[in-house]
Every structure is written in C-alpha cells, then in structure tokens.
C-alpha cells in the first residue's frame, strides 16, 4: 500500500502497519516508508492534524500551535516585548509566551527618527536574545533583527511545547518554548507496535 492510495480514514496505526515510520521532528510531523523515500507531501498535509491528535492522545501529551503575535509594553516598568499567542491542540485553550523586544526605531530612516515608536506589531530584538534562541530552535533561517515580525507566519505549520509558569495557567515559560519532538520509538510503543515486521492482518 502506498501513500498515493491512502484511504480517507488513514490513521497512525495503519501507517505503522504498512511499515511507515511516524515521528515529530523539530515540530514537523514526519512520515517515511522503510526505503527512506519521502512520503508524498499531500498525505502529510491533508491528514496532519488528525494524525497529530492521535499521537498526542496516545502518548498523553499536548502540543501548541502558533496563530498570531502582538507587540506591547508590559509590567510596572513598561518594558517592551513581543507576545506569541498559541492554541493547545487537544483542549483548544489559549496560551501565550512573552519575549523581550524593542519597540522603538534604532536609527533615523525615511520612515522615522531614532527612538520613535515602531508601527503596530513591529519589533526588533537583540542578537543573543531569548527570541533569537527560540527562532533558531525551529530551524527557520535567521532574519534581520528588525524584520522578524514579517516572518512570524512561518511558525504556523509547526507544533510546539513548553511549560506553564506556575502562577498562570495560560502563560508559557518562554525560555522552555521549543518545537515538539516525539521519536518514532515513542510512537511505536504508544500504539503497541514492537520491532517485529509489520503485517497487513494486524487489527
């Protein structure tokens, strides 16, 4: 059975039974056959969320998907920051993480003078900031420190994980925010598959 002939009710158990490896690598759902040739992309895209939910439920973990960002000043000192808004895959509840960021222009340009506020949702970050470390963990290409706001949509296809800050159920610990990783071995064990050869008769 090939990906090209996959039925509409495709499941993780069916893929494992066919001999495909299923894992989450750097936030991406990864499906590969035994011969190491990549599975056709449309299968992963059309079944991605359904398969992810199956895996998370079996393993007993949740994941996060990014959907928007905002930039504002926070706390008594009105420190600049960028907020990343997420949704939990299994519960649908909202969560967010805040990274330090600058919200003013660093130098004079045709669009404004140094120190002027940046337009809504724009921000710039320091080279070794927590935001840059987070971005690097995704494997996405680095960008100019003042232009990351233009590329935030690149985070939407990824699945993430983090920990809640102890005094807040919906704020995430930004320093622990990273792409989700679930190995093929973890998936196999969760679905009750041993290292024995797959069989088309497995129920």
């Amino acid at each position: 059975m090939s990906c090209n002939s996959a039925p509409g009710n495709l499941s993780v158990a069916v893929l494992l039974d066919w001999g495909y490896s299923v894992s989450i690598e750097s936030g991406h759902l990864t499906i590969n056959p035994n011969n190491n040739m990549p599975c056709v992309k449309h299968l992963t895209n059309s079944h991605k969320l359904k398969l992810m939910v199956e895996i998370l439920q079996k393993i007993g973990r949740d994941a996060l998907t990014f959907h928007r960002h905002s930039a504002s000043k926070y706390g008594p000192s009105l420190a600049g920051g960028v907020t990343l808004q997420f949704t939990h895959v299994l519960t649908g509840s909202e969560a967010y993480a805040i990274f330090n960021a600058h919200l003013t222009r660093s130098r004079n340009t045709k669009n404004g003078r140094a120190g002027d506020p940046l337009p809504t949702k724009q921000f710039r970050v320091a080279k070794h900031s927590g935001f840059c470390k987070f971005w690097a963990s995704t494997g996405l290409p680095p960008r100019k420190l003042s232009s990351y706001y233009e590329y935030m949509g690149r985070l939407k296809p990824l699945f993430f994980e983090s920990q809640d800050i102890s005094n807040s159920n919906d704020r995430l610990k930004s320093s622990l925010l990273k792409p989700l990783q679930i190995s093929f071995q973890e998936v196999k064990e969760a679905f009750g598959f041993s290292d024995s050869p797959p069989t088309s008769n497995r129920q």
Side-chain angles (χ1 to χ4, degrees):
M1 183 69 70
S2 70
C3 287
N4 288 314
S5 58
N9 62 347
L10 185 70
S11 68
V12 176
V14 168
L15 285 169
L16 294 174
D17 198 38
W18 288 345
Y20 285 84
S21 68
V22 182
S23 60
I24 293 89
E25 307 291 340
S26 300
H28 293 277
L29 177 65
T30 303
I31 302 172
N32 286 309
N34 283 334
N35 60 10
N36 293 321
M37 293 297 290
C39 184
V40 291
K41 192 173 182 180
H42 75 80
L43 177 133
T44 301
N45 289 339
S46 60
H47 294 84
K48 181 168 71 172
L49 185 58
K50 175 181 179 292
L51 296 173
M52 277 297 304
V53 168
E54 286 184 43
I55 293 169
L56 294 172
Q57 289 176 334
K58 279 285 189 180
I59 291 180
R61 293 167 65 179
D62 205 345
L64 302 155
T65 53
F66 169 80
H67 55 93
R68 69 175 183 273
H69 82 279
S70 60
S72 187
K73 294 182 178 181
Y74 305 95
S77 62
L78 295 179
V82 55
T83 298
L84 277 57
Q85 298 283 350
F86 296 89
T87 301
H88 285 279
V89 173
L90 295 185
T91 66
S93 60
E94 301 293 312
Y96 67 96
I98 299 176
F99 292 91
N100 292 332
H102 302 291
L103 307 183
T104 57
R105 299 186 185 279
S106 60
R107 61 179 186 271
N108 295 335
T109 70
K110 63 180 182 180
N111 296 316
R113 299 181 60 82
D116 286 349
L118 289 168
T120 302
K121 299 186 76 173
Q122 291 189 24
F123 62 92
R124 57 186 178 87
V125 292
K127 186 174 183 179
H128 299 294
S129 64
F131 178 87
C132 285
K133 292 176 181 177
F134 160 69
W135 189 273
S137 75
T138 68
L140 293 169
R143 303 294 178 178
K144 289 176 57 178
L145 299 176
S146 60
S147 67
Y148 276 104
Y149 72 92
E150 298 181 68
Y151 301 94
M152 297 300 284
R154 305 288 175 89
L155 299 174
K156 289 185 176 182
L158 304 179
F159 294 91
F160 296 94
E161 61 182 340
S162 185
Q163 291 181 359
D164 294 340
I165 290 180
S166 58
N167 61 357
S168 172
N169 290 326
D170 56 356
R171 182 172 179 180
L172 304 168
K173 197 162 187 175
S174 58
S175 61
L176 297 180
L177 182 62
K178 59 185 179 180
L180 182 66
Q181 294 280 146
I182 299 177
S183 70
F184 175 39
Q185 187 63 36
E186 289 178 278
V187 173
K188 284 198 302 181
E189 291 176 357
F191 283 84
F193 281 74
S194 68
D195 290 328
S196 59
T199 171
S200 60
N201 294 324
R202 184 182 284 116
Q203 298 298 316

